[in-house]
Amino acid sequence: MRDIAVFTGSAHPELADEVCAHLGVPLSPSRVSRFANDCLEVQLQASCREKDVFLVQPLVAPVQEHLVELLLMCDAARGASAGRITVVMPHYSYARSDKKDAPRISIGGRLVADLMVSAGASRVLAMTLHSPQVHGFFSVPVDHLHALRELAAHFRQYDLTRTTVVSPDLGNAKEAAAFARMIGAQVAAGAKQRFADDRVSINSVIGEVAGRDVIVLDDEIAKGSTVLELLERLRELGPRSIRVACTHGLFAAGALKRLSEQPDILEIVCTNTVPVPVDERTEKLKVLSIAPALAEAVRRIHNGESVSALFDAPSRE
């Protein structure tokens, strides 16, 4: 592929390498350094002039460091006369700040979107945003992918004749229903109430799970409090087996260890939108690669082809 340049920050260079391998282009070098006063500096160490530039950077911990890296990369590419700048953001952590549900708080998802555009981003490629309205926070085109195909391909190795896909809450039920249709399963959802970032209550599960093989599907797992609360309700209903799946396996504060220690969870499946440290992985964890999907989307964006033809929204599956 000609006239394309792919750069990455320090958030997830392994994913950027894999995307470039599928594209058949080299990963262009970049340098992130720090001044004595703790300010970051980013240098893109390959020509950007009139090129189609793709910046691969999920917003993962430390989120603020990686966000500033991304903004500086956008500004550097714009200053180097890039023809177009596409932010490839497999995980947008600020998408959780998508509404004003308390007085005097910022809608961070919109603010950070504005910052990216102000820094020079002319297009965004994202994966499984936390809520649909986040798409509209950006004033530039957004290609919104999902990982349901990769997850479905994995679960088709099992007997799915008695399977129910369970969404932890009604907000994610639409995606769970789309996934259930893809694998020919039933769907159920938990009735969840959130009291704090790590404290939730699920009073009941709407749908048939007794004696069935359950796949708990969520967009992301951070501290795992929602999944653990849902497990309590599921155990009361007596499912035959339980597996857990998500797109973004953040697994903060020892969540992966806590989930793996649950004897009735047979498997935990996530994708590599965010890095999962090798020393934290357990035998129950399976990490699926979304690099081929990202690479194909990048190729289509570069060639001016339809992206939605490959990655239709779950509601149209």
Side-chain angles (χ1 to χ4, degrees), residues 62-137:
V63 173
Q64 281 59 243
E65 293 270 323
H66 292 142
L67 171 59
V68 173
E69 279 185 22
L70 178 57
L71 296 176
L72 292 173
M73 284 193 291
C74 288
D75 186 62
R78 179 176 58 182
S81 302
R84 180 174 62 179
I85 303 168
T86 300
V87 170
V88 181
M89 188 169 50
H91 178 57
Y92 184 33
S93 52
Y94 273 97
R96 293 190 65 169
S97 179
D98 60 354
K99 56 187 175 295
K100 192 169 184 178
D101 54 3
R104 297 172 298 281
I105 63 171
S106 169
I107 302 176
R110 186 191 61 198
L111 172 62
V112 174
D114 289 343
L115 289 173
M116 290 184 205
V117 176
S118 296
S122 48
R123 194 176 193 96
V124 173
L125 176 61
M127 172 76 71
T128 311
L129 294 170
H130 185 65
S131 55
Q133 63 264 31
V134 175
H135 191 139
F137 290 171

Side-chain angles (χ1 to χ4, degrees), residues 212-225:
R212 299 184 65 82
D213 299 312
V214 166
I215 300 173
V216 176
L217 178 71
D218 209 349
D219 61 328
E220 68 176 54
I221 296 177
K223 291 186 176 180
S225 53

